[in-house]
Each structure stands twice: as C-alpha cells, then as structure tokens.
Amino acid sequence: MHGSYAANMGMTDCDLLIALGTRFDDRVTGQLQSFARHARVIHVDIDPAEIGKNRTPDIPIVGDVKRVLQKLNKVMQELEAEFKPKKAEARRKWWTQIRDWKEERPYDRSRAEGEIKPQHLMDEIDRLSGGQAIVTSDVGQHQMWAAQLIRFNEPRFGLTPAV
C-alpha cells in the first residue's frame, strides 16, 4: 500500500515470494486477489495462526525466522553452483526491470513555497544527519516517508512500532 512503484510492481510480477514474519493484511496486499497472483509463496512465521490466514502459502514454515533463514541459506549455498549459471541472465533482466521502474516513478520529493512538505522535511533530516541519526516515528504516513526517504547507515537506527 505504501511501497514504491518499483517495489509494488516487483511484488506483483515476482515468481517467488518469501514472506518472513509478515501478515498478509490489506496494508501489505492491497487487493488480495491480485497480490502476487503468479508467485509461489514461502511463508515463515513463528505464529502458526498467521500462516495461511489470508494468503495460502505453497510452502508454510512455522519457526523462528533467524533459524529458518540460517537453514535456508545453507541449502541455497549447496544449490548455488547448480542454479546460478542457469538463472544469471533471468536475474540480470529482473534487476534491469526493477531499475527501470525506479527511474520511471521515483519517490515523490515534493517541495512548495510557503509550506514545508513532509517529503522535503524527510530529505532535510537525511541531509543534516548524514544517515547517522536515530529516527523514531509513530505509525502512519510519516512512518512510510521516513522509511522511504531517510538513509540508515547503521542497523536499528530506524525505530518504529509494529502495526
């Protein structure tokens, strides 16, 4: 709902979606029927009640995301030699498409005379902090602007409540 055009198009057109500890609520999916409709879905969550609640996964995994990712990374490293050469061209085309979408519709960085637009404020916070500020927000549109427009050079510098 609040992602960039490139991110939303990527979700719409992906062939595999790995969802880690996420709910497939309307803020994530928009219209559920059209959300990643061609994608196979791997849904990982520690809460079994969340898996399959709104979107039926092809591969449901109940578990701690950190442990699941450690195991998944190990399997992927073992398979990398077999699949990497076969998929390299497809991956290059996919990243080219993502970059094209980003250029086609970049984030709105509106500015106006006589008022401070939120996007301008976020750009100024980013400029003044150089990516070194610890930024907190409540939930809402300003949370999305902060996540989209402020650089975070260190992990955990963007603090926001879960919704």
Side-chain angles (χ1 to χ4, degrees):
M1 180 179 282
H2 297 288
S4 69
Y5 179 77
N8 287 336
M9 291 304 295
M11 295 291 282
T12 298
D13 287 354
C14 73
D15 55 9
L16 174 65
L17 174 60
I18 303 173
L20 305 171
T22 188
R23 301 175 299 172
F24 285 110
D25 63 16
D26 64 332
R27 286 174 284 172
V28 172
T29 66
Q31 292 183 349
L32 188 58
Q33 302 84 344
S34 60
F35 174 76
R37 64 182 167 269
H38 303 295
R40 297 198 61 195
V41 176
I42 300 172
H43 189 181
V44 181
D45 204 295
I46 200 162
D47 181 357
E50 288 299 326
I51 295 183
K53 186 158 82 175
N54 295 317
R55 170 73 186 251
T56 303
D58 296 281
I59 302 174
I61 301 173
V62 177
D64 179 271
V65 167
K66 181 178 179 178
R67 293 184 65 205
V68 170
L69 282 177
Q70 288 169 339
K71 290 179 182 182
L72 182 60
N73 282 336
K74 185 177 179 187
V75 169
M76 293 305 295
Q77 287 172 353
E78 293 168 2
L79 296 173
E80 184 176 15
E82 179 182 346
F83 287 100
K84 191 173 184 177
K86 295 176 187 175
K87 300 296 181 183
E89 183 59 27
R91 191 172 292 120
R92 265 193 296 279
K93 286 180 181 178
W94 179 246
W95 280 111
T96 298
Q97 179 63 71
I98 298 292
R99 283 189 291 278
D100 289 348
W101 284 326
K102 284 182 175 184
E103 287 179 25
E104 181 183 331
R105 296 210 187 144
Y107 283 124
D108 176 12
R109 293 184 124 84
S110 297
R111 294 177 186 229
E113 292 295 322
E115 68 177 311
I116 300 173
K117 294 253 183 183
Q119 298 89 335
H120 183 196
L121 175 64
M122 297 299 155
D123 281 341
E124 285 300 299
I125 291 170
D126 181 64
R127 184 183 67 78
L128 292 170
S129 72
Q132 298 300 314
I134 297 174
V135 177
T136 63
S137 72
D138 195 358
V139 297
Q141 187 61 49
H142 59 284
Q143 177 186 36
M144 300 305 123
W145 287 317
Q148 293 166 348
L149 302 173
I150 298 176
R151 290 171 293 157
F152 298 102
N153 294 335
E154 297 290 330
R156 298 184 188 92
F157 271 24
L159 305 175
T160 183
V163 283

